[in-house]
Amino acid sequence: MELMDKNFYINLQTAGASFENLLLTADTGQLKRLWQWTGSGFATVSLVRHSTGYEWVRVAPSAGADWQLPDGAEPGADAVLIALNGRRVESDPFTSPHLAVVAEIEYPSQRLRVKWELWIYPDAPGLRTQLHAQALEGYGAVTAGREESSAAVERIPATMEGTVRHAVGYYNHTQKRNTPETELLREETWAASDRDAAEVVECDWASLFGLRQGEEALYLVKESNKCVNQTGYDTGSFETAATGVTVTGWGLAPGDVLPERYRSGWATWCIASHGNEDEE
């Protein structure tokens, strides 16, 4: 089917989403993010905060999609975009009105179907993405022997040079830690000058990871049960390299993917803000 057939535009208050000329655009009114359909998936090509016009993405994406598959493999170039649509969600009792964009992608050679979901809230500083996976016939033979892989679920080719990194995580068992002697949060901050911007740096204990560039900040938040002192199931890590920042950990090992229905992975928030510690 022609990708042109999947073009759409939808809006809700200040929020909008569209797909045209192979570009998917999501805009909250505060934050605008663009993805390119590459033939393997959607890859981020722009991330701009409206109030300042600051562009976090200044280089081309290094991979064909913002994600890997649950076994850690890169999505194949034979991907088929079988469905792409946007809708207004205004009656969900568990959250406020927002736009939902859903892409369903089939990977024939890897015997897998992926649903990529994007939530866009009006006037919000961030966007939420989540992956879901369903096995096709023959999937088990493709992934035989592969265990939990902490595969990528979000990749942003953000500029790394000159950034200050900020990681935050929380401890579990708070009933026993709620004293002045036992911290509830762990925080670490380091500048790019402390570690070469081209070096791969991994942080596996945080739930929130940020980059600060002067007056700008970009934060990634993982929705999972990860704690500083106890990891959850395939909660992965935050990784920085010359190619940008990556969030890993689907929350699904290859053997967890079922043929009869989609199974959901951990979601990720991408939030842009002012790079002021008091404001954050």
Side-chain angles (χ1 to χ4, degrees):
M1 183 180 295
E2 294 284 344
L3 290 184
M4 187 180 298
D5 295 343
K6 297 176 176 60
N7 289 353
F8 71 87
Y9 173 78
I10 191 170
N11 72 294
L12 176 66
Q13 301 170 31
T14 62
S18 64
F19 182 64
E20 188 175 10
N21 297 326
L22 304 184
L23 277 178
L24 175 65
T25 302
D27 196 332
T28 70
Q30 288 197 42
L31 179 67
K32 184 178 182 179
R33 187 170 175 182
L34 275 67
W35 291 264
Q36 176 87 39
W37 172 257
T38 66
S40 296
F42 286 99
T44 297
V45 293
S46 179
L47 182 64
V48 177
R49 189 160 75 101
H50 280 304
S51 62
T52 60
Y54 187 81
E55 171 65 83
W56 274 98
V57 177
R58 303 179 193 172
V59 296
S62 61
D66 281 354
W67 58 84
Q68 295 172 317
L69 303 185
D71 63 353
E74 293 293 334
D78 60 345
V80 180
L81 183 58
I82 57 178
L84 177 64
N85 59 76
R87 61 187 176 91
R88 298 180 184 90
V89 181
E90 300 181 82
S91 59
D92 188 331
F94 299 104
T95 187
S96 57
H98 62 279
L99 298 176
V101 174
V102 177
E104 290 191 75
I105 305 164
E106 196 164 291
Y107 296 101
S109 63
Q110 292 158 307
R111 314 307 302 156
L112 189 72
R113 182 173 291 173
V114 168
K115 180 165 68 174
W116 179 66
E117 191 168 3
L118 168 66
W119 288 4
I120 310 159
Y121 287 84
D123 204 35
L127 295 159
R128 179 185 186 270
T129 56
Q130 186 176 20
L131 290 162
H132 317 261
Q134 182 178 12
L136 300 177
E137 185 177 354
Y139 174 74
V142 174
T143 62
R146 301 183 190 180
E147 303 297 332
E148 180 180 320
S149 63
S150 289
V153 295
E154 177 71 291
R155 292 192 273 212
I156 301 175
T159 179
M160 292 289 109
E161 187 175 355
T163 57
V164 174
R165 324 293 169 82
H166 183 205
V168 181
Y170 59 91
Y171 291 90
N172 69 354
H173 201 35
T174 55
Q175 293 88 345
K176 297 295 184 179
R177 300 188 62 84
N178 191 20
T179 70
E181 294 75 32
T182 53
E183 296 289 342
L184 297 182
L185 293 177
R186 176 181 173 182
E187 291 192 63
E188 288 187 13
T189 302
W190 65 92
S193 57
D194 297 336
R195 309 182 186 190
D196 189 340
E199 178 187 357
V200 176
V201 178
E202 182 179 6
C203 177
D204 64 359
W205 53 264
S207 296
L208 178 150
F209 187 85
L211 305 173
R212 295 192 198 131
Q213 181 70 259
E215 296 298 311
E216 301 290 333
L218 178 66
Y219 276 90
L220 294 164
V221 183
K222 191 175 189 73
E223 287 187 9
S224 74
N225 60 354
K226 177 194 288 289
C227 296
V228 172
N229 53 334
Q230 185 174 10
T231 60
Y233 187 72
D234 190 27
T235 54
S237 63
F238 299 94
E239 298 176 5
T240 59
T243 54
V245 58
T246 299
V247 185
T248 69
W250 264 71
L252 294 175
D256 298 326
V257 182
L258 303 174
E260 61 267 23
R261 63 177 175 88
Y262 280 109
R263 296 197 77 173
S264 302
W266 301 119
T268 306
W269 281 89
C270 169
I271 301 169
S273 69
H274 191 281
N276 179 294
E277 290 189 40
D278 293 333
E279 182 177 310
E280 293 163 12

